[in-house]
Coordinates of all heavy atoms in Angstrom, one line a residue:
M24 N 99.4 102.2 103.9 CA 99.3 101.2 102.8 C 97.9 101.4 102.2 O 96.9 101.6 102.9 CB 99.5 99.8 103.3 CG 99.5 98.8 102.3 SD 99.2 97.1 102.9 CE 97.4 97.0 102.9
I25 N 97.8 101.3 100.9 CA 96.6 101.4 100.2 C 96.4 100.1 99.4 O 97.3 99.8 98.6 CB 96.5 102.6 99.2 CG1 96.8 103.9 100.0 CG2 95.2 102.6 98.4 CD1 96.9 105.1 99.0
D26 N 95.2 99.4 99.6 CA 94.9 98.3 98.7 C 94.1 98.8 97.6 O 92.9 99.1 97.7 CB 94.1 97.3 99.5 CG 93.9 96.0 98.7 OD1 93.8 96.0 97.5 OD2 93.8 94.9 99.3
R27 N 94.7 99.1 96.5 CA 94.0 99.7 95.4 C 92.9 98.8 94.8 O 92.0 99.3 94.0 CB 95.0 100.2 94.4 CG 95.8 101.4 94.8 CD 97.0 101.7 93.9 NE 96.6 101.9 92.5 CZ 96.1 103.0 92.0 NH1 95.9 104.1 92.7 NH2 95.8 103.1 90.7
D28 N 93.0 97.5 95.0 CA 91.9 96.6 94.4 C 90.7 96.8 95.3 O 89.6 96.6 94.7 CB 92.4 95.1 94.6 CG 93.5 94.8 93.7 OD1 93.6 95.5 92.6 OD2 94.3 93.9 93.9
L29 N 90.8 97.3 96.5 CA 89.6 97.5 97.3 C 89.1 98.9 97.1 O 87.9 99.1 97.3 CB 89.9 97.2 98.8 CG 90.1 95.8 99.2 CD1 90.5 95.8 100.7 CD2 89.0 94.9 99.0
C30 N 89.9 99.9 96.8 CA 89.5 101.3 96.7 C 88.4 101.5 95.7 O 88.6 101.0 94.5 CB 90.7 102.1 96.4 SG 90.3 103.8 96.2
L31 N 87.3 102.2 96.1 CA 86.3 102.5 95.1 C 86.2 104.0 94.8 O 85.4 104.5 94.1 CB 84.9 102.1 95.8 CG 84.6 100.7 95.8 CD1 83.2 100.5 96.5 CD2 84.6 99.9 94.5
G32 N 87.2 104.7 95.3 CA 87.3 106.1 94.9 C 86.3 107.0 95.6 O 85.9 108.0 95.0
T33 N 85.9 106.7 96.8 CA 84.9 107.5 97.4 C 85.4 108.9 97.8 O 84.7 109.8 98.0 CB 84.4 106.9 98.8 OG1 85.5 106.8 99.6 CG2 83.8 105.5 98.5
G34 N 86.7 108.9 98.0 CA 87.4 110.3 98.3 C 87.4 110.6 99.7 O 87.9 111.7 100.2
L35 N 86.9 109.8 100.7 CA 86.8 110.2 102.1 C 88.3 110.3 102.6 O 88.5 111.2 103.4 CB 86.1 109.0 102.9 CG 84.6 109.1 102.7 CD1 84.0 107.9 103.5 CD2 84.1 110.4 103.2
C36 N 89.2 109.5 102.2 CA 90.6 109.6 102.8 C 91.2 111.0 102.2 O 91.9 111.6 103.0 CB 91.4 108.5 102.2 SG 91.5 108.3 100.5
V37 N 90.8 111.4 101.0 CA 91.3 112.7 100.6 C 90.7 113.8 101.3 O 91.3 114.9 101.6 CB 91.0 112.8 99.0 CG1 91.5 114.1 98.5 CG2 91.6 111.6 98.2
V38 N 89.5 113.7 101.7 CA 88.8 114.8 102.6 C 89.5 114.9 103.9 O 89.8 115.9 104.4 CB 87.3 114.4 102.8 CG1 86.7 115.3 103.8 CG2 86.6 114.5 101.4
Y39 N 89.7 113.7 104.6 CA 90.3 113.7 105.9 C 91.8 114.0 106.0 O 92.3 114.6 106.9 CB 89.9 112.5 106.7 CG 88.5 112.4 107.1 CD1 87.6 111.4 106.5 CD2 87.9 113.2 108.0 CE1 86.3 111.3 106.9 CE2 86.6 113.2 108.3 CZ 85.8 112.2 107.7 OH 84.5 112.1 108.1
A40 N 92.5 113.6 105.0 CA 93.9 113.7 105.0 C 94.4 114.1 103.6 O 95.1 113.4 102.9 CB 94.6 112.4 105.5
P41 N 94.1 115.3 103.2 CA 94.3 115.7 101.8 C 95.9 115.9 101.4 O 96.2 115.9 100.3 CB 93.6 117.0 101.6 CG 93.5 117.6 103.0 CD 93.5 116.3 103.9
Q42 N 96.7 115.9 102.5 CA 98.1 116.1 102.2 C 98.8 114.7 102.3 O 100.0 114.6 102.3 CB 98.7 117.1 103.2 CG 98.2 118.5 103.0 CD 98.7 119.5 104.0 OE1 99.8 120.0 103.8 NE2 98.0 119.6 105.1
T43 N 98.0 113.7 102.5 CA 98.5 112.3 102.5 C 98.0 111.5 101.4 O 98.7 110.7 100.8 CB 98.2 111.7 103.9 OG1 98.8 112.4 104.9 CG2 98.7 110.2 104.0
F44 N 96.6 111.7 101.1 CA 96.0 110.9 100.0 C 95.6 111.8 98.9 O 95.2 113.0 99.1 CB 94.8 110.1 100.6 CG 95.1 109.2 101.7 CD1 94.9 109.5 103.0 CD2 95.8 108.0 101.4 CE1 95.2 108.6 104.0 CE2 96.1 107.1 102.5 CZ 95.8 107.4 103.7
A45 N 95.6 111.3 97.8 CA 95.1 111.9 96.5 C 94.5 110.9 95.6 O 94.6 109.7 95.9 CB 96.2 112.7 95.8
H46 N 93.8 111.4 94.5 CA 93.2 110.5 93.6 C 94.1 110.5 92.4 O 94.6 111.6 91.9 CB 91.8 110.9 93.2 CG 90.8 110.4 94.1 ND1 89.5 110.9 94.2 CD2 90.8 109.4 95.0 CE1 88.8 110.4 95.1 NE2 89.5 109.4 95.6
D47 N 94.3 109.3 91.7 CA 95.0 109.3 90.4 C 94.0 109.3 89.3 O 92.8 109.7 89.5 CB 95.8 108.0 90.4 CG 95.0 106.7 90.3 OD1 93.8 106.8 90.3 OD2 95.6 105.6 90.3
D48 N 94.4 109.1 88.1 CA 93.6 109.2 86.9 C 92.5 108.2 86.9 O 91.4 108.5 86.2 CB 94.4 109.0 85.7 CG 95.4 110.1 85.4 OD1 95.2 111.2 86.1 OD2 96.4 110.0 84.6
E49 N 92.5 107.2 87.7 CA 91.5 106.1 87.8 C 90.6 106.5 89.0 O 89.8 105.6 89.3 CB 92.1 104.7 88.0 CG 93.0 104.3 86.8 CD 93.8 103.0 87.1 OE1 93.3 102.2 87.9 OE2 94.9 102.8 86.5
T50 N 90.8 107.6 89.7 CA 90.1 108.0 90.9 C 90.3 107.0 92.0 O 89.4 106.7 92.8 CB 88.6 108.2 90.5 OG1 88.4 108.7 89.3 CG2 87.9 109.1 91.6
K51 N 91.5 106.4 92.1 CA 91.8 105.5 93.1 C 92.8 106.2 94.0 O 93.6 107.1 93.5 CB 92.4 104.2 92.6 CG 91.3 103.4 91.9 CD 91.7 101.9 91.9 CE 90.6 101.1 91.3 NZ 90.6 99.7 91.7
A52 N 92.8 105.9 95.2 CA 93.7 106.6 96.2 C 95.2 106.3 96.0 O 95.5 105.1 95.7 CB 93.3 106.2 97.6
V53 N 96.0 107.3 96.0 CA 97.4 107.2 96.0 C 98.0 108.0 97.2 O 97.3 108.9 97.7 CB 98.0 107.7 94.7 CG1 97.6 106.7 93.5 CG2 97.6 109.1 94.4
L54 N 99.2 107.6 97.6 CA 99.9 108.4 98.7 C 100.5 109.6 98.1 O 101.2 109.5 97.0 CB 100.9 107.5 99.4 CG 100.4 106.6 100.4 CD1 101.6 105.8 100.9 CD2 99.7 107.3 101.6
Q55 N 100.4 110.7 98.8 CA 101.2 111.9 98.4 C 102.6 111.6 98.8 O 102.9 110.9 99.8 CB 100.7 113.1 99.2 CG 99.2 113.4 99.0 CD 99.0 114.4 97.8 OE1 99.7 114.5 96.9 NE2 98.0 115.3 98.0
D56 N 103.5 112.3 98.1 CA 104.9 112.1 98.4 C 105.6 113.4 98.6 O 105.8 114.1 97.6 CB 105.6 111.3 97.3 CG 107.1 110.9 97.7 OD1 107.4 110.9 98.8 OD2 107.8 110.6 96.7
P57 N 106.0 113.8 99.8 CA 105.8 113.1 101.0 C 104.5 113.5 101.7 O 103.9 114.5 101.4 CB 106.9 113.6 101.9 CG 107.1 115.1 101.4 CD 106.8 115.0 100.0
P58 N 103.9 112.5 102.5 CA 102.7 112.8 103.2 C 102.9 113.8 104.3 O 104.0 113.8 104.9 CB 102.2 111.5 103.7 CG 103.5 110.7 103.8 CD 104.4 111.2 102.7
H59 N 101.9 114.8 104.5 CA 102.1 115.8 105.4 C 101.2 115.9 106.6 O 101.3 116.7 107.5 CB 102.0 117.2 104.7 CG 103.2 117.5 103.8 ND1 104.5 117.6 104.2 CD2 103.2 117.7 102.5 CE1 105.2 117.8 103.2 NE2 104.5 117.9 102.1
D60 N 100.1 115.1 106.6 CA 99.0 115.3 107.6 C 99.5 114.8 108.9 O 100.3 114.0 109.0 CB 97.7 114.6 107.1 CG 97.2 115.2 106.0 OD1 96.6 116.3 106.0 OD2 97.1 114.6 104.9
A61 N 98.8 115.4 109.9 CA 99.1 114.9 111.3 C 98.6 113.5 111.4 O 97.7 113.0 110.8 CB 98.2 115.8 112.3
E62 N 99.3 112.8 112.3 CA 99.0 111.3 112.5 C 97.5 111.1 112.7 O 97.0 110.1 112.2 CB 99.9 110.8 113.7 CG 100.2 109.3 113.5 CD 101.3 108.9 114.6 OE1 102.4 109.6 114.6 OE2 101.0 108.1 115.4
G63 N 97.0 111.9 113.6 CA 95.5 111.8 114.0 C 94.7 111.8 112.7 O 93.6 111.1 112.6
D64 N 95.0 112.8 111.8 CA 94.2 112.9 110.6 C 94.3 111.8 109.7 O 93.4 111.3 109.1 CB 94.6 114.2 109.9 CG 94.2 115.5 110.6 OD1 93.4 115.5 111.5 OD2 94.9 116.5 110.4
V65 N 95.5 111.2 109.7 CA 95.7 110.0 108.8 C 94.9 108.8 109.4 O 94.3 108.1 108.7 CB 97.2 109.7 108.7 CG1 97.4 108.4 107.9 CG2 97.9 110.8 108.0
A66 N 95.0 108.7 110.7 CA 94.2 107.7 111.4 C 92.8 107.8 111.1 O 92.1 106.8 110.9 CB 94.5 107.7 112.9
T67 N 92.3 109.0 111.2 CA 90.9 109.3 110.8 C 90.5 108.8 109.4 O 89.5 108.2 109.2 CB 90.5 110.7 111.1 OG1 90.8 111.1 112.4 CG2 89.0 111.0 110.8
A68 N 91.4 109.1 108.5 CA 91.2 108.8 107.1 C 91.1 107.3 107.0 O 90.3 106.8 106.2 CB 92.2 109.5 106.3
V69 N 92.0 106.6 107.7 CA 92.0 105.1 107.5 C 90.8 104.5 108.1 O 90.2 103.6 107.5 CB 93.3 104.6 108.3 CG1 93.3 103.1 108.5 CG2 94.6 105.0 107.6
E70 N 90.3 105.1 109.2 CA 89.1 104.5 109.8 C 87.9 104.9 109.0 O 86.9 104.1 109.0 CB 89.0 105.1 111.2 CG 90.0 104.6 112.2 CD 89.9 105.3 113.5 OE1 89.0 106.0 113.8 OE2 90.9 105.1 114.3
A71 N 87.9 106.0 108.2 CA 86.8 106.4 107.5 C 86.6 105.6 106.2 O 85.5 105.6 105.6 CB 86.9 107.9 107.2
C72 N 87.6 105.0 105.7 CA 87.5 104.3 104.4 C 86.4 103.2 104.6 O 86.6 102.3 105.3 CB 88.8 103.7 104.0 SG 88.7 102.7 102.5
P73 N 85.4 103.3 103.7 CA 84.3 102.3 103.8 C 84.7 100.9 103.3 O 84.0 99.9 103.6 CB 83.2 102.9 102.9 CG 83.9 103.8 102.0 CD 85.1 104.3 102.7
M74 N 85.8 100.8 102.5 CA 86.2 99.6 102.0 C 87.3 98.9 102.8 O 87.6 97.8 102.4 CB 86.7 99.8 100.6 CG 85.6 100.4 99.7 SD 84.1 99.4 99.6 CE 84.8 97.9 98.9
G75 N 87.8 99.5 103.8 CA 88.9 99.0 104.6 C 90.2 98.8 103.7 O 90.9 97.9 103.9
A76 N 90.2 99.8 102.8 CA 91.4 99.7 101.8 C 92.6 100.3 102.3 O 93.7 100.2 101.7 CB 91.0 100.4 100.5
L77 N 92.5 101.0 103.5 CA 93.8 101.7 104.1 C 94.2 101.0 105.3 O 93.4 100.5 106.1 CB 93.4 103.1 104.3 CG 92.9 103.9 103.1 CD1 92.4 105.3 103.6 CD2 93.9 104.0 102.0
A78 N 95.5 101.0 105.5 CA 96.1 100.6 106.8 C 97.3 101.4 107.1 O 98.0 101.8 106.3 CB 96.4 99.1 106.7
L79 N 97.4 101.6 108.5 CA 98.6 102.3 108.9 C 99.8 101.4 109.0 O 99.6 100.2 109.3 CB 98.4 102.9 110.3 CG 97.3 104.1 110.4 CD1 97.1 104.4 111.9 CD2 97.9 105.3 109.7
R80 N 100.9 102.0 108.7 CA 102.1 101.1 108.8 C 103.2 102.0 109.3 O 103.3 103.2 109.0 CB 102.5 100.7 107.4 CG 103.6 99.6 107.4 CD 103.9 99.2 106.0 NE 104.3 100.3 105.1 CZ 104.1 100.3 103.9 NH1 103.4 99.3 103.2 NH2 104.4 101.4 103.1
A81 N 104.1 101.4 110.2 CA 105.2 102.1 110.7 C 106.1 102.6 109.6 O 106.4 101.9 108.6 CB 106.0 101.2 111.7
P82 N 106.6 103.8 109.8 CA 107.5 104.4 108.7 C 108.7 103.6 108.5 O 109.3 103.7 107.4 CB 107.8 105.8 109.3 CG 106.8 106.1 110.4 CD 106.4 104.7 110.8
S83 N 109.2 102.8 109.5 CA 110.4 102.0 109.3 C 110.2 100.8 108.5 O 111.2 100.1 108.1 CB 111.0 101.7 110.7 OG 110.0 100.9 111.3
S84 N 109.0 100.4 108.2 CA 108.7 99.2 107.4 C 109.3 99.3 106.0 O 109.2 100.3 105.4 CB 107.2 99.0 107.3 OG 107.0 97.9 106.5
A85 N 109.9 98.2 105.5 CA 110.5 98.2 104.2 C 109.6 97.7 103.2 O 109.8 97.8 102.0 CB 111.7 97.4 104.2
E86 N 108.4 97.2 103.5 CA 107.4 96.7 102.6 C 106.7 97.8 101.8 O 106.4 98.9 102.4 CB 106.4 95.8 103.3 CG 107.1 94.5 103.9 CD 106.0 93.7 104.6 OE1 104.8 93.8 104.2 OE2 106.4 92.9 105.5
G87 N 106.4 97.5 100.6 CA 105.7 98.5 99.8 C 104.3 98.5 100.1 O 103.5 99.3 99.8
Ligands
SF4_114 S1 88.3 106.2 101.5 FE1 88.9 104.3 100.7 S2 87.7 103.7 99.0 FE2 87.6 106.0 99.4 S3 89.1 106.8 98.0 FE3 90.1 106.5 100.0 S4 91.0 104.4 99.9 FE4 89.5 104.6 98.3

C-alpha cells in the first residue's frame, strides 16, 4: 500500500524495489503492475521510506 499523501518522491523505494515501485508524473510512488521484486527487497523498500508512506499488505487483501 502506498499513502500518496505522505510520499515526498525521494525515490528510495524505486531504488530498492524498482520492479515494484515507480514514479508517476507527480514524482510520487506508484505500484508496478504486476510487481516483480523479491519479498525481501520490497520489505527493504518499505522500511527505507523516510515518510512511512509504504506498508506491506497480504496479497489476498481486497482493500485498495
Ligand atoms: S521512499 Fe517513500 S517518500 Fe520516497 S518515493 Fe518511495 S513512497 Fe515516496
Side-chain angles (χ1 to χ4, degrees):
M24 185 197 87
I25 301 172
D26 186 332
R27 288 171 52 85
D28 290 333
L29 291 178
C30 175
L31 288 181
T33 65
L35 285 174
C36 58
V37 180
V38 169
Y39 286 114
Q42 297 177 85
T43 299
F44 300 105
H46 277 160
D47 66 4
D48 293 344
E49 300 174 26
T50 324
K51 293 203 173 204
V53 292
L54 277 177
Q55 302 268 33
D56 185 23
H59 288 301
D60 292 292
E62 204 171 304
D64 291 340
V65 176
T67 299
V69 169
E70 291 171 12
C72 177
M74 300 306 296
L77 303 175
L79 290 174
R80 190 180 56 212
S83 59
S84 172
E86 294 180 21

